[in-house]
Amino acid sequence: ELPPSEFMQVADSTWLVLNVVSNGREPPGCQATGVTKIARSVIAPLAEHHVSVLMLSTYQTDFILVRERDLPVVIHTLAGEFDIYKEEGGECVPVTSDDVSNGFLKPKPSASPMLHPVQSPQTRFCVLTVAPDTLPAIATMLIDVLFYSHSPPWDAGTGSQDLDSITFFSFSLIEGYISIVMDAETQKRFPSDLLLTSSTGELWRMVRIGGQPLGFDECGIVAQIAEPLAAADISAYYISTFNFDHALVPEEGIAEVIQLLQQRQESGR
């Protein structure tokens, strides 16, 4: 419904959402898993089959988006370990490989995915949610932060690898559930009793993947971060965007994360 505009760029793909539950052999309704827990079973196999994914973590769960044209490859890749369902009329219906076998092409072997540079700004972030009925109380402030923030944006033209800070604010509304990521300084502008977080109130640090906009034709970007973190049992909150990928990790683990990713970079050379 959005009118065409020279200022709006649209990716030339239609995407479908995958929601992975904790036990691939149980029907929908199980507890959803985190990005690092599905790194080996979902993210890595899709990367090996040259499927590009968008990753979106929320306060409640994690979602993987795949291009609709890649669905046959996705189902053939994951059907060995997972029962796969599609939603039809509000009901979950089992999907078999036979349903999408027409047009399936076995992926051709190719070179290993490119390892992109990783940046880690000093900014400390909060992962929050808010009850929908209290959203009107902070709506004006949300709009101000989203569109009129006075924080200086990072100059993409400088190509700086040593970021002191980064302007990043994420708001998602999925099936009535709201998730917000904001830096700790911005959080101070909101009423503390309306923003909900974990009981520990932990802060997060970010690693950003890519020295330039990544595009959607490359695979293995999420796997570059998720696989080493999964091997070290480090949780992550992952957000793919139009230009870059971002992984939030608990602040106390940022040094270990950077070390792991640097080792990954060196071993991939």
Side-chain angles (χ1 to χ4, degrees):
E1 297 178 0
L2 293 174
S5 170
E6 61 178 310
F7 304 106
M8 182 170 64
Q9 184 179 356
V10 181
D12 187 23
S13 301
T14 302
W15 299 75
L16 301 174
V17 178
L18 304 181
N19 187 14
V20 184
V21 299
S22 58
N23 188 331
R25 289 300 178 189
E26 292 184 9
C30 306
Q31 183 179 3
T33 65
V35 56
T36 51
K37 294 184 182 300
I38 59 177
R40 294 189 185 92
S41 58
V42 179
I43 296 172
L46 292 181
E48 292 171 359
H49 285 76
H50 319 302
V51 175
S52 178
V53 304
L54 290 177
M55 189 75 206
L56 178 63
S57 294
T58 70
Y59 192 86
Q60 291 78 19
T61 185
D62 295 87
F63 299 92
I64 301 174
L65 280 74
V66 298
R67 288 178 294 196
E68 188 171 26
R69 66 172 181 262
D70 290 333
L71 186 60
V73 181
V74 171
I75 292 180
H76 275 268
T77 301
L78 302 181
E81 185 165 349
F82 292 92
D83 285 336
I84 303 176
Y85 299 82
K86 62 181 177 180
E87 185 175 316
E88 288 186 351
E91 299 291 331
C92 290
V93 181
V95 175
T96 66
S97 297
D98 296 338
D99 293 339
V100 292
S101 59
N102 184 30
F104 172 73
L105 298 176
K106 187 177 181 179
K108 299 178 181 179
S110 66
S112 299
M114 175 182 176
L115 291 180
H116 291 276
V118 174
Q119 303 161 340
S120 181
Q122 297 299 313
T123 310
R124 305 161 80 205
F125 292 93
C126 309
V127 177
L128 309 153
T129 187
V130 60
D133 58 344
T134 63
L135 186 59
I138 61 171
T140 302
M141 196 168 297
L142 278 174
I143 293 173
D144 180 67
V145 172
L146 280 169
F147 299 108
Y148 305 101
S149 175
H150 299 296
S151 302
W154 179 67
D155 184 3
T158 64
S160 172
Q161 299 296 311
D162 300 316
L163 299 179
D164 291 329
S165 62
I166 183 173
T167 302
F168 187 93
F169 185 91
S170 172
F171 177 92
S172 63
L173 175 60
I174 301 176
E175 295 185 330
Y177 294 102
I178 298 169
S179 301
I180 304 173
V181 176
M182 68 177 74
D183 62 82
E185 289 301 312
T186 299
Q187 183 193 17
K188 296 176 181 178
R189 299 171 55 182
F190 290 83
S192 58
D193 58 330
L194 296 183
L195 298 179
L196 308 176
T197 186
S198 64
S199 58
T200 58
E202 60 187 341
L203 293 175
W204 301 69
R205 289 279 300 279
M206 175 185 289
V207 288
R208 181 166 74 172
I209 303 92
Q212 58 185 0
L214 299 173
F216 301 111
D217 293 325
E218 189 176 341
C219 64
I221 298 170
V222 178
Q224 176 183 343
I225 300 295
E227 286 187 281
L229 295 191
D233 198 26
I234 298 174
S235 61
Y237 190 101
Y238 201 101
I239 299 178
S240 298
T241 67
F242 202 92
N243 292 320
F244 297 97
D245 279 27
H246 310 79
L248 294 168
V249 298
E251 184 178 32
E252 63 272 13
I254 186 64
E256 182 182 0
V257 169
I258 293 175
Q259 182 180 10
L260 288 171
L261 298 180
Q262 286 176 342
Q263 292 173 349
R264 176 69 177 262
Q265 288 275 5
E266 294 170 358
S267 64
R269 290 174 183 172

